[in-house]
Amino acid sequence: MRRRRPRLPAWTATLTWKSAVFITVMCCALAALLGVLVHVSVASQTVKDSRDKALARLGEVSRLYEAGEPLPRFAGVDPDGLPGSLRALALRGDRGTMVTEYQGRPTMWAAGPADGRALAVRLDYSSGVATIEGLDRSILGSSVLAIGVTLLVGSFAVTRITRRLHLTAQVARRISAGDLDARVNDPRTEDPSRPQDEVATVSGALDTMASSLQRKLQTEQRFTADVAHELRTPLTGLSAAAELLPEGRPSELVKDRVKAMRGLTEDLLEISRLDAGTETVDLAVYDLGPLAERVVRASGTPTEVRIERDAAVETDRRRLERVLGNLVANAHRHGLPPVVLSVSGPVVTVRDHGPGYPEYLLAAGPQRFRTESGGKGHGLGLTIAVGQAEVIGADLVFANAPDGGAVARLELPEYVRLADPDEEADPDHEPEDGEPDGGTDPDAEPGTGPGTDPDAAHRHAKGT
């Protein structure tokens, strides 16, 4: 069985973390290299100075020995503690030095031949060892300090860069979400006299791309709106002229095509208004179940309505009916029966049992003038549904059921009615004759009556 490699935390993939690791490793390597060079250089110089001093004393002691004068305490012939290798070197007629421990202290020995024996002197080498050890401690401390300062300065510099990169990425996400007015506005790109780094170049390219995209989309929106407006007048004339045609199959064909053209024109006008972002909502409180049933009845389609749990929602009834009507019409046009509309609290689900939504729609949402269901329709119904749902603050999600069929799920802002404080204090109180019971008149129109007063209730609305 193949073992899975442990997964590193997400923060280890950030540029700040990688830069900090890189700076630390490079500082440590540089400090180690410089420390070794300084240590070797100073240690070699210290040993050389002590060796020269020891050989100079050996020369003085050799003259005293040849003159038959007494030797100083630090000198002797075959003294105790003389290293064997140095003694053997002296017996061969050569002179040399060596550092060893003598009586628990670092000692520099120098030895030379003297009548077939070894004449040696010793010097205390503690100061040289202390100098080298102190140097090593200084190198280590200064290296740690230099690494810390370099890491702080480097992290600050990298953080400034990553902050600008995060801002650029945030603006790119806003543009992809539809906010075409979003710009990075990096001061380095606005002032040509300032030097530009790579981040400023990317920010400037993103701003230029967003401006070009905005101009292109605005041109397309104006073109769509102008075409739709220009078509309304001749279509109105065609519709009036078609009514004057004698009854018959040709007249029915003309009326049907004129009706289709008028519907397409109205859809284009509605999309142009949604793209312009100038739509306003007329909010009121409605019971969702009866409203959904009314939409199904108006559609004239054999759609099954299931009210699992009714709920009051605060919405724009006209726009909500438009969304539900488009979803039901799309299910019958591109799916297969049975088509079921379910109401579960503030959530409305429209499901058919056809081939389901195409992959491009699930990945990127509906696209106008694109359809893959036998070429029927022009892809504007779901586009309008998404736009109107966004206007009323509802979430519209498209998915495919595991057992087949397309599922559209619309979640609306729910309106929660609060109980009367007097009724909460006395739950057993019954209204007297002529006293209003606080209920809702069943004959009242949806969206009217005491339950719709925004000041008497608290709403929990998502997206509004």
Side-chain angles (χ1 to χ4, degrees), residues 76-392:
V77 178
D78 293 333
D80 295 335
L82 181 65
S85 57
L86 188 59
R87 185 190 303 273
L89 180 66
L91 294 178
R92 290 197 302 268
D94 295 326
R95 303 175 70 182
T97 60
M98 180 176 291
V99 177
T100 61
E101 290 283 338
Y102 179 72
Q103 294 181 352
R105 299 175 65 87
T107 302
M108 170 69 75
W109 290 92
D115 298 332
R117 293 186 296 177
L119 178 63
V121 296
R122 64 178 183 273
L123 285 99
D124 188 5
Y125 192 63
S126 301
S127 60
V129 173
T131 300
I132 296 175
E133 291 179 350
L135 175 66
D136 291 341
R137 288 191 297 269
S138 299
I139 292 174
L140 181 60
S142 60
S143 298
V144 172
L145 180 61
I147 291 173
V149 173
T150 305
L151 186 59
L152 289 176
V153 175
S155 299
F156 174 74
V158 172
T159 302
R160 292 190 60 186
I161 296 176
T162 55
R163 188 183 300 115
R164 294 167 59 198
L165 288 175
H166 286 311
L167 176 60
T168 304
Q170 183 181 4
V171 171
R173 285 191 291 268
R174 288 173 56 190
I175 294 173
S176 64
D179 184 7
L180 299 181
D181 293 325
R183 298 292 186 273
V184 180
N185 293 327
D186 195 311
R188 293 168 179 80
T189 61
E190 297 178 353
D191 187 1
S193 63
R194 298 183 62 179
Q196 295 188 12
D197 56 8
E198 289 78 2
V199 179
T201 302
V202 173
S203 301
L206 179 63
D207 288 348
T208 303
M209 181 197 69
S211 299
S212 301
L213 180 62
Q214 186 178 35
R215 287 193 298 269
K216 181 179 179 181
L217 291 179
Q218 288 176 347
T219 301
E220 293 179 354
Q221 291 171 7
R222 285 194 298 268
F223 175 77
T224 302
D226 293 343
V227 169
H229 278 290
E230 292 297 329
L231 286 175
R232 295 185 79 176
T233 301
L235 284 176
T236 302
L238 282 175
S239 179
E243 295 296 332
L244 301 177
L245 293 176
E247 296 294 334
R249 183 61 180 168
S251 176
E252 293 178 359
L253 290 176
V254 172
K255 291 179 180 179
D256 180 70
R257 291 301 88 197
V258 170
K259 181 179 179 181
M261 285 290 293
R262 292 191 66 177
L264 177 58
T265 303
E266 294 299 328
D267 287 346
L268 290 175
L269 285 173
E270 187 170 358
I271 285 179
S272 66
R273 289 193 298 268
L274 291 173
D275 289 340
T278 57
E279 296 286 81
T280 57
V281 292
D282 183 14
L283 296 179
V285 180
Y286 303 94
D287 290 330
L288 188 56
L291 191 148
E293 292 175 342
R294 181 166 54 247
V295 170
V296 172
R297 287 196 303 269
S299 68
T301 59
T303 303
E304 179 184 354
V305 180
R306 298 176 182 174
I307 309 297
E308 300 174 1
R309 180 176 69 87
D310 200 0
V313 295
E314 185 175 21
T315 186
D316 188 320
R317 185 178 67 179
R318 181 183 65 83
R319 299 184 187 279
L320 177 57
E321 290 177 348
R322 177 66 160 156
V323 174
L324 296 180
N326 282 12
L327 295 178
V328 171
N330 183 81
H332 283 282
R333 178 177 300 170
H334 301 289
L336 296 175
V339 176
V340 181
L341 186 149
S342 304
V343 177
S344 178
V347 178
V348 182
T349 304
V350 178
R351 178 188 176 179
D352 61 58
H353 291 75
Y357 292 117
E359 291 298 328
Y360 79 86
L361 190 146
L362 298 178
Q367 301 177 17
R368 58 193 71 176
F369 299 108
R370 179 175 180 180
T371 178
E372 296 183 359
S373 301
K376 298 183 296 181
H378 35 70
L380 298 182
L382 292 184
T383 303
I384 293 175
V386 171
Q388 294 290 11
E390 183 178 354
V391 171
I392 62 177

Side-chain angles (χ1 to χ4, degrees), residues 361-431:
L361 190 146
L362 298 178
Q367 301 177 17
R368 58 193 71 176
F369 299 108
R370 179 175 180 180
T371 178
E372 296 183 359
S373 301
K376 298 183 296 181
H378 35 70
L380 298 182
L382 292 184
T383 303
I384 293 175
V386 171
Q388 294 290 11
E390 183 178 354
V391 171
I392 62 177
D395 291 333
L396 180 56
V397 180
F398 300 100
N400 287 331
D403 54 347
V407 180
R409 182 178 183 275
L410 180 70
E411 183 175 357
L412 295 154
E414 185 173 6
Y415 187 87
V416 181
R417 295 186 176 92
L418 297 180
D420 190 352
D422 295 336
E423 294 181 359
E424 291 182 356
D426 187 7
D428 297 330
H429 172 74
E430 295 183 358

